Amino acid sequence: MALAAQYRVSPFAIASVNGLMPAAPLIPGQSLFIPDAGNTPTGLPWPLVFLTMSPSLAEQGRTLRLKARLDGEAVLSGAFDLHPLRFAEEGGAWYALQGIEAEAEPGLHSFTITVTLPSGQSTSFAQLIPVRRMDYGTQNLPPVDPLTIDPTVTEPEWEYLKSFTTQFTPARYWQGVFALPFGGRVSSPFGIVRTYNNGQFVSSHTGTDFTGRPGSPIYAAAAGVVVVAEPLTVRGNATLIDHGWGVYTGYWHQSEIKVEVGDVVRAGQEIGLLGSTGRVTGPNLHWELWVGGAPIDPMEWTETPFP
Ligand SMILES: [Zn+2]
């Protein structure tokens, strides 16, 4: 119980994390894996010799970081819920970054790591990882064009963007923290639950909105490669940049796009102008950050350097 209190995890969660996961084989002698906290399970399947997860509790709308070390040749893979974990190597360590959606259910989520040897033999271990509720607030918005809240329009556009943001580029293009993409003030934060047109449409805000004078410059938050640069119905003039390792930033509602698909951009490069195209209630830049196929609070990456 002292352990549960220390980590603010329910006793049930500790019991579950500690081996009650029938879906995947548990390794013999597996120790309790408290995410982060500087400890790592003993008896990891060789050649996996080190594994940490941070933060200590997964949080809605934030990024989960895994760091591993291998003492021989093997391939690391895994999953967090339905998201495949993809590892990239740098400086002798292997990293996987995974976003947790703001709408992820608070409570226990499945987490699996698989170590595959060159012979093809593989060993998996699984745990349940608690996701902590974050309170992002609620907001009612003035009416918008009904077309932009029509599911036959919103869902294909969402799937279209996911077809890019679920990809994984093994190279890492960014360095350090991300820059703010716009000089204006934040007009709507990430995660706030917003109700449109008298309750006809409710959605959790997938990015951070900035407002300012229409036509003001928008900057790339980090180095990367442009993978989308086109007008969309809901998002208006939209640009999506691949930063590598499954990390993408999106810039919506621009009056003008100043880059093309395939362009290599540097951090701070002007990529477009602030506008009011698509589903807006006024001129704004909606800025989005995806990690491992999940949109998370982009402001986290302006404060915390990853990996
Ligand atoms: Zn927005």
Side-chain angles (χ1 to χ4, degrees):
M1 289 307 108
L3 188 65
Q6 184 183 349
Y7 289 97
R8 291 176 296 162
V9 178
S10 74
F12 173 72
I14 288 288
S16 302
V17 167
N18 203 8
L20 300 176
M21 183 74 190
L26 287 159
I27 57 163
Q30 182 186 2
S31 63
L32 177 66
F33 173 28
I34 297 293
D36 201 17
N39 73 16
T40 190
T42 57
L44 290 168
W46 189 88
L48 180 61
V49 293
F50 173 85
L51 178 69
T52 57
M53 175 189 285
S54 65
S56 51
L57 279 182
E59 295 173 330
Q60 290 175 324
R62 310 286 282 188
T63 306
L64 203 58
R65 247 192 281 221
L66 294 162
K67 182 179 181 182
R69 284 188 194 280
L70 292 168
D71 194 25
E73 202 181 327
V75 173
L76 282 177
S77 57
F80 186 87
D81 284 341
L82 297 176
H83 295 295
L85 295 173
R86 281 169 294 195
F87 286 84
E89 193 268 340
E90 195 173 274
W94 291 85
Y95 298 92
L97 300 171
Q98 181 58 54
I100 309 296
E101 286 97 343
E103 291 171 324
E105 282 294 319
L108 298 170
H109 290 249
S110 71
F111 165 72
T112 310
I113 295 283
T114 300
V115 181
T116 304
L117 297 171
S119 66
Q121 187 198 338
S122 69
T123 309
S124 295
F125 64 97
Q127 301 201 334
L128 294 173
I129 299 292
V131 170
R132 187 154 73 101
R133 182 189 297 279
M134 301 287 275
D135 184 10
Y136 290 110
T138 58
Q139 182 182 30
N140 280 305
L141 289 176
V144 292
D145 179 353
L147 180 68
T148 65
I149 56 171
D150 180 345
T152 66
V153 171
T154 60
E155 283 169 20
E157 192 174 303
W158 176 256
E159 290 302 322
Y160 174 66
L161 287 166
K162 275 202 91 163
S163 74
F164 294 94
T165 59
T166 51
Q167 302 292 316
F168 184 84
T169 301
R172 176 164 80 96
Y173 302 126
W174 84 88
Q175 290 293 330
V177 294
F178 280 30
L180 290 175
F182 191 73
R185 70 177 177 88
V186 171
S187 54
S188 182
F190 172 87
I192 195 164
V193 177
R194 311 201 296 181
T195 305
Y196 293 88
N197 298 20
N198 300 316
Q200 286 175 43
F201 187 78
V202 179
S203 89
S204 169
H205 195 210
T206 52
T208 300
D209 290 350
F210 297 84
T211 190
R213 198 165 41 80
S216 303
I218 293 167
Y219 307 102
V225 178
V226 176
V227 290
V228 172
E230 64 185 274
L232 300 172
T233 305
V234 179
R235 290 159 183 84
N237 289 327
T239 300
L240 187 69
I241 299 174
D242 177 5
H243 301 289
W245 287 23
V247 178
Y248 296 80
T249 50
Y251 308 78
W252 316 150
H253 311 310
Q254 300 170 84
S255 62
E256 193 181 326
I257 299 172
K258 293 199 160 192
V259 288
E260 291 176 3
V261 169
D263 284 358
V264 175
V265 296
R266 60 184 196 282
Q269 181 178 331
E270 185 178 325
I271 57 165
L273 303 177
L274 187 90
S276 51
T277 55
R279 185 175 71 207
V280 295
T281 56
N284 80 95
L285 166 68
H286 172 108
W287 181 44
E288 217 160 89
L289 200 157
W290 293 69
V291 180
I296 55 103
D297 185 354
M299 300 306 264
E300 180 184 30
W301 283 61
T302 67
E303 294 154 5
T304 305
F306 287 91

